[in-house]
Amino acid sequence: MYNTHSDIWVAGAFAAVVVDFIVYPVDTLKTRIQSPNYEKVFKDARTGAVRREVLFRGLYQGVWSVVFSTIPSSGAFFTTYEAIKCALHDSSTRSKHAGSKSEYFTQSSKTGFRLPFTHSLPSPIINAIASSTAEAVSCFMLTPAEVLKQNAQMVNTTASASNTRGKTTSVSAMRQVLSRFKDHPWRLWNGYFALLGRNLPFTGLQFPMFEYVRSHVIDRYRRRKAAKVIASGGDSKQAYSQRDQLLERAGLTGLSASVSGSIASVVTTPIDVVKTRVMLSASENTGGESGAAAHGAGKGSRNGAWAVGKQIIRDDGIRGLFRGGLIRSVWTAVSLSLYLGLYEGGRFYLENRRYRLEEDT
């Protein structure tokens, strides 16, 4: 069986929404730790201790902007990724023997696209091209939500005086942020190239590693499964159940994503820090004093990511570029494991559902 475009879109959107709700508080903490005002706002000036009541307040602020943007952006990512990957694999001149590792991934979806040329690119390059192209499409849809999200995550942590009770709901935080962009909506795309600059290296590293690790993990699992069945005197082909397939598609995919994601996240943390600063500066001069006070992201922020990076090094040194790296690595490992595991599990469910419907008819 195979997956259609709609299967891929639905599975990707479902996985993204679930994971967003689970890991969003960790993402909020990462944003606050990477913010330029971390030392002033989240630490006591006298003792240097972390102000936990401020740091951990309103961890779900801005979550709805991400949820509403996740459905189209994640669906677009996986649809583009699978289409380009399959088209490039199908036009490859490299031979694919029956039962090879590469066949497992190219036969699970059919897009109908055919390239007018052939090539001999290796699989890691194919996966890097497919994932990078998909990321460029996804980031264009995701950037406004990321800008809104990261500015909402900082609301009332730097300007808590605006609320006498010191509490801010997710809805009120989003209203405050939206008011800053009312007269300058194009600023919602401020940080697109910073987001793309972070996600392209991350995706370009992570997906080839992910596909490589997954293929070897699944191949090893199949060999061990076959050896056990043969040792017990059974038929290895008949013993391959739906449970085994689900473990491959969801469980082993999640494990592979966790390993590859944690490695890629550590390497790209400096880019992530710069991206966070650029997006936090997007509301400067769009919301009066509140915008400027909440997001003093460095004097060079308007000159782009390069200037922001130099400003971080001047203020905090090289260590500043790796601020939040540990929490990002853990968060990425958990979120990608859930994300790609749920995505493949969703595809597997929709595959079997279509198969049952076709049998009934």
Side-chain angles (χ1 to χ4, degrees):
M1 289 299 292
Y2 59 90
N3 289 117
T4 62
H5 289 300
S6 59
D7 287 349
I8 294 170
W9 194 289
V10 170
F14 170 75
V17 169
V18 172
V19 172
D20 280 341
F21 271 109
I22 293 174
V23 304
Y24 192 85
V26 183
D27 183 59
T28 300
L29 290 174
K30 177 187 72 72
T31 297
R32 291 174 178 176
I33 290 172
Q34 292 178 346
S35 72
N37 293 321
Y38 174 71
E39 299 288 337
K40 297 178 181 178
V41 177
F42 301 107
K43 286 190 174 182
D44 189 286
R46 184 169 53 86
T47 65
V50 176
R51 300 170 60 191
R52 296 179 182 275
E53 73 283 0
V54 179
L55 182 63
F56 291 95
R57 179 193 302 154
L59 294 180
Y60 273 96
Q61 289 176 186
V63 67
W64 291 109
S65 66
V66 176
V67 171
F68 290 137
S69 67
T70 284
I71 295 174
S73 64
S74 62
F77 175 87
F78 281 112
T79 303
T80 305
Y81 175 67
E82 296 291 348
I84 295 176
K85 184 179 72 170
C86 289
L88 287 173
H89 271 296
D90 290 342
S91 63
S92 175
T93 57
R94 293 172 178 264
S95 60
K96 292 185 291 183
H97 303 289
S100 66
K101 300 186 189 87
S102 61
E103 187 175 343
Y104 172 82
F105 304 107
T106 58
Q107 298 301 318
S108 60
S109 61
K110 296 293 182 183
T111 62
F113 290 109
R114 288 289 183 272
L115 297 179
F117 57 85
T118 58
H119 63 86
S120 59
L121 295 174
S123 291
I125 300 299
I126 290 176
N127 295 329
I129 292 172
S131 60
S132 298
T133 306
E135 195 63 58
V137 174
S138 177
C139 282
F140 185 78
M141 299 180 180
L142 196 60
T143 298
E146 281 287 307
V147 171
L148 291 173
K149 177 198 77 173
Q150 293 194 327
N151 280 276
Q153 286 172 335
M154 297 298 294
V155 164
N156 242 31
T157 59
T158 57
S160 58
S162 63
N163 190 310
T164 57
R165 295 183 181 180
K167 296 180 180 178
T168 303
T169 65
S170 178
V171 175
S172 64
M174 186 55 63
R175 285 175 179 170
Q176 290 184 49
V177 173
L178 285 171
S179 66
R180 297 174 188 163
F181 293 93
K182 183 173 62 175
D183 298 326
H184 307 276
W186 58 87
R187 281 185 173 267
L188 289 172
W189 275 269
N190 188 33
Y192 168 73
F193 291 106
L195 179 64
L196 193 63
R198 180 203 68 176
N199 285 8
L200 278 183
F202 176 81
T203 304
L205 286 171
Q206 191 264 329
F207 267 88
M209 279 194 295
F210 161 68
E211 297 283 13
Y212 176 82
V213 172
R214 181 169 69 165
S215 65
H216 282 270
V217 168
I218 289 175
D219 188 57
R220 183 176 180 181
Y221 171 78
R222 288 179 174 178
R223 289 200 307 268
R224 292 181 62 183
K225 176 73 176 178
K228 286 182 180 180
V229 172
I230 293 172
S232 63
D235 185 348
S236 60
K237 293 182 179 179
Q238 294 179 356
Y240 202 69
S241 64
Q242 273 201 352
R243 180 177 174 276
D244 295 315
Q245 295 178 53
L246 180 60
L247 178 60
E248 281 189 7
R249 293 285 292 272
L252 298 183
T253 289
L255 175 63
S256 305
S258 177
V259 172
S260 60
S262 61
I263 296 173
S265 66
V266 171
V267 175
T268 57
T269 292
I271 307 174
D272 182 59
V273 174
V274 171
K275 185 272 303 181
T276 297
R277 296 289 182 91
V278 171
M279 287 189 165
L280 288 178
S281 72
S283 63
E284 281 189 336
N285 299 325
T286 62
E289 292 182 9
S290 61
H295 309 294
K299 297 178 181 179
S301 60
R302 291 178 198 151
N303 295 324
W306 182 254
V308 171
K310 291 193 294 184
Q311 184 71 37
I312 293 171
I313 294 174
R314 282 197 297 268
D315 294 343
D316 305 316
I318 296 296
R319 291 182 61 184
L321 291 174
F322 287 90
R323 180 180 287 177
L326 178 60
I327 193 173
R328 180 171 184 252
S329 178
V330 175
W331 162 64
T332 302
V334 174
S335 62
L336 269 180
S337 178
L338 290 171
Y339 186 32
L340 293 178
L342 286 172
Y343 166 66
E344 283 293 344
R347 287 179 58 184
F348 180 70
Y349 168 78
L350 293 172
E351 236 178 69
N352 287 329
R353 181 174 178 271
R354 182 182 303 104
Y355 180 74
R356 290 193 298 269
L357 291 174
E358 290 178 358
E359 276 192 330
D360 292 340
T361 55

